[in-house]
Amino acid sequence: MSRAPVSWNRIPRLKPKEVIALRLAQFPSRNGPFTVYGNGRSYGDVCLTGDATLLKTRHLDRFIAFDPDTGVLECQAGVTLQEVLDLTVSQGWFLAVTPGTRFATVGGAIANDVHGKNHHSAGSFGHHVISLELVRSDGEILTCSLEENPLWFQATLGGLGLTGLIASVRLQLLAIESPWMRVVSQRFANLSEFWELNKSMEANWPYTVAWVDCLAKGANLGRGVYYAAKHLDAHSFQSSESLTPKPLSREKTLTFPLDSPISLVNNLSLRAFNSLYFRKPVEPLGGFAHYVPYFYPLDAIRHWNRIYGRKGFYQYQCVLPPQTSVDGINAMLQAISKSGQGSFLAVLKTFGERPAAGMLSFPRPGATLALDFPNREGHTQSLFETLDSIVHEAGGALYPAKDARMPAELFRQAFPAWEQFAHYIDPQLTSNFWKRITT
């Protein structure tokens, strides 16, 4: 290959020893180490290596079975979430949990135990995995579920692709009556208003998330726009003359054309965008949205990661426990605002009380904040050190799937089961992330 695979944030740039596109769910007939790579939609180095062979699993893309009566789907791990939806939505089934891109693979969604806007009502992706088939480098094949090999199951959910090759998966999908969403939106003036609004919204809406102005200060600190949604029922869908289904094949996409040498995200562009976004019209009484632009707005812009320039960008996503989240999120937004750094799409939401699905699962009770930061090297790293200190003091965690520089001590504090998990790592598998946070 002329160019080594990278993660979506383009950091770090590592060249593996070799890249192999797997056609069968089995290890190559040679010694490792190996690193498993899906569709490159994670951020950071959980699927990257500089001294191992990269195993690309995207060609493991076969559907095995689908029962439209029960919503149980069986497929190989290289199938993308988009391919799942293309098959199932027209038959009345949706992903029970989906991240913000449908271009991730099913295997990647399991390996990172991804979450969506509905964690408070549905948990994480791993909570809807019925079973999976795990291939080990010694040829052993394990069927893993809550009933069969349950510890292997818990290690693989959120296991960062280190326990073996996920060959196939059985998923329980969510029944829906139409491809449309009912969506409400409401501005909030500061963080205090967010917490009050969030409590009332989560009680009645399965999908909730807020955009926050990461540069706002003083009495406006944490101001933003709150979004809540639910799948539209068939009666509302059929009675509304304004709803015209749009096939995915006709979806309009744009391409960000410029691979800029510098980031186009800066203090000036951020302030202009945030001011306009905060003041855009909201729909407190509700409106309609097709599921594609609602769940996956950035998927409509091909190569949107180029906006951050050739140096790439970092995403900083943390979760703080309920007892420290109010003060902790406040302190983090103050530090980010003071730095003048941040992203157009800064996301704040709360996770529900459902226990983690996997040993290393990131979603847990509390509030999660996620922002993208242009790679300004020392300036950015200095901000991250400040944020790390706040997260550490609050007893929080950073998200491995979105990480390219997490300190080892912060990982070990936030994921105390890491030593137990280490017993389930396949001896032929590694990643730059795992080496970085355990050595």
Side-chain angles (χ1 to χ4, degrees):
M1 296 180 64
S2 59
R3 184 176 298 177
V6 295
S7 287
W8 188 245
N9 66 321
R10 309 168 88 181
I11 301 173
R13 293 183 181 273
L14 301 172
K15 186 175 181 180
K17 286 185 175 180
E18 184 181 3
V19 177
I20 298 176
L22 296 181
R23 304 284 176 174
L24 298 173
Q26 61 187 39
F27 281 83
S29 56
R30 67 186 77 175
N31 290 328
F34 303 106
T35 298
V36 181
Y37 183 96
N39 203 31
R41 287 293 167 145
S42 57
Y43 297 48
D45 55 356
V46 293
C47 62
L48 298 180
T49 180
D51 55 7
T53 297
L54 202 70
L55 303 179
K56 297 187 71 174
T57 62
R58 181 65 184 92
H59 292 299
L60 303 177
D61 58 357
R62 185 167 62 91
F63 287 100
I64 299 170
F66 175 56
D67 186 341
D69 293 325
T70 64
V72 174
L73 171 74
E74 185 174 3
C75 65
Q76 290 185 307
V79 170
T80 66
L81 303 185
Q82 179 184 23
E83 290 165 343
V84 171
L85 295 170
D86 286 350
L87 171 69
T88 64
V89 167
S90 62
Q91 301 183 68
W93 296 94
F94 196 76
L95 292 163
V97 170
T98 180
T101 178
R102 65 196 194 281
F103 298 140
T105 63
V106 170
I110 291 172
N112 295 293
D113 193 19
V114 298
H115 56 275
K117 299 177 177 70
N118 62 339
H119 187 275
H120 67 282
S121 60
S124 64
F125 195 91
H127 287 119
H128 305 277
V129 176
I130 300 171
S131 64
L132 58 87
E133 188 177 77
L134 189 69
V135 179
R136 300 277 288 176
S137 62
D138 61 3
E140 183 181 16
I141 300 176
L142 298 172
T143 298
C144 305
S145 68
L146 290 175
E147 294 76 30
E148 189 173 2
N149 295 309
L151 292 178
W152 282 101
F153 189 58
Q154 293 169 32
T156 303
L157 300 178
L160 309 176
L162 294 171
T163 61
L165 281 175
I166 301 174
S168 63
V169 182
R170 292 179 72 236
L171 296 174
Q172 178 60 62
L173 302 180
L174 173 71
I176 59 172
E177 298 182 33
S178 87
W180 289 82
M181 310 293 294
R182 179 88 177 184
V183 182
V184 298
S185 55
Q186 184 173 333
R187 291 189 193 90
F188 52 92
N190 49 47
L191 279 177
S192 295
E193 287 192 12
F194 165 79
W195 298 116
E196 293 178 10
L197 183 60
N198 184 67
K199 185 176 181 179
S200 63
M201 287 294 200
E202 282 194 341
N204 299 295
W205 295 83
Y207 299 98
T208 59
V209 70
W211 167 85
V212 294
D213 181 351
C214 58
L215 296 183
K217 298 180 179 181
N220 293 324
L221 183 74
R223 71 175 183 176
V225 183
Y226 195 97
Y227 298 93
K230 61 179 66 174
H231 293 281
L232 204 61
D233 60 70
H235 174 73
S236 299
F237 176 68
Q238 293 168 359
S239 64
S240 176
E241 296 178 358
S242 65
L243 295 181
T244 303
K246 178 176 62 175
L248 290 180
S249 60
R250 297 181 184 178
E251 180 188 355
K252 294 181 179 179
T253 59
L254 302 173
T255 298
F256 194 84
L258 178 66
D259 196 5
S260 173
I262 62 172
S263 173
L264 301 181
V265 179
N266 52 50
N267 192 281
L268 183 62
S269 62
L270 271 176
R271 290 193 183 281
F273 174 87
N274 286 6
S275 179
L276 289 171
Y277 195 92
F278 180 72
R279 290 172 174 80
K280 76 173 188 173
V282 296
E283 296 189 85
L285 298 180
F288 301 117
H290 190 273
Y291 81 86
V292 172
Y294 173 73
F295 285 106
Y296 314 110
L298 288 177
D299 283 354
I301 307 174
R302 292 173 56 85
H303 305 300
W304 66 259
N305 53 350
R306 291 176 176 173
I307 196 172
Y308 288 97
R310 294 173 188 167
K311 289 185 177 181
F313 67 98
Y314 293 92
Q315 183 166 115
Y316 194 98
Q317 182 166 5
C318 69
V319 57
L320 306 184
Q323 63 271 24
T324 61
S325 58
V326 172
D327 291 340
I329 297 297
N330 183 79
M332 293 183 73
L333 286 178
Q334 284 186 352
I336 293 166
S337 177
K338 182 178 179 181
S339 76
Q341 301 184 71
S343 65
F344 297 134
L345 295 175
V347 175
L348 176 62
K349 72 166 272 80
T350 52
F351 290 144
E353 296 296 324
R354 196 163 184 177
M359 293 180 186
L360 297 187
S361 290
F362 168 75
R364 63 197 68 185
T368 179
L369 177 66
L371 299 97
D372 296 338
F373 295 90
N375 179 17
R376 297 177 182 171
E377 299 173 336
H379 190 43
T380 306
Q381 296 305 320
S382 178
L383 171 61
F384 288 164
E385 289 174 7
T386 299
L387 299 181
D388 286 348
S389 177
I390 296 170
V391 173
H392 174 79
E393 184 127 353
L398 299 186
Y399 192 10
K402 301 286 185 72
D403 175 68
R405 38 70 57 198
M406 184 193 310
E409 59 272 19
L410 187 54
F411 172 82
R412 294 171 184 175
Q413 170 200 290
F415 298 90
W418 74 273
E419 289 182 288
Q420 177 190 6
F421 167 80
H423 296 295
Y424 296 91
I425 295 177
D426 189 286
Q428 294 291 324
L429 288 177
T430 187
S431 71
N432 196 71
F433 172 85
W434 190 252
K435 292 179 65 175
R436 176 166 59 81
I437 52 85
T438 57
T439 58

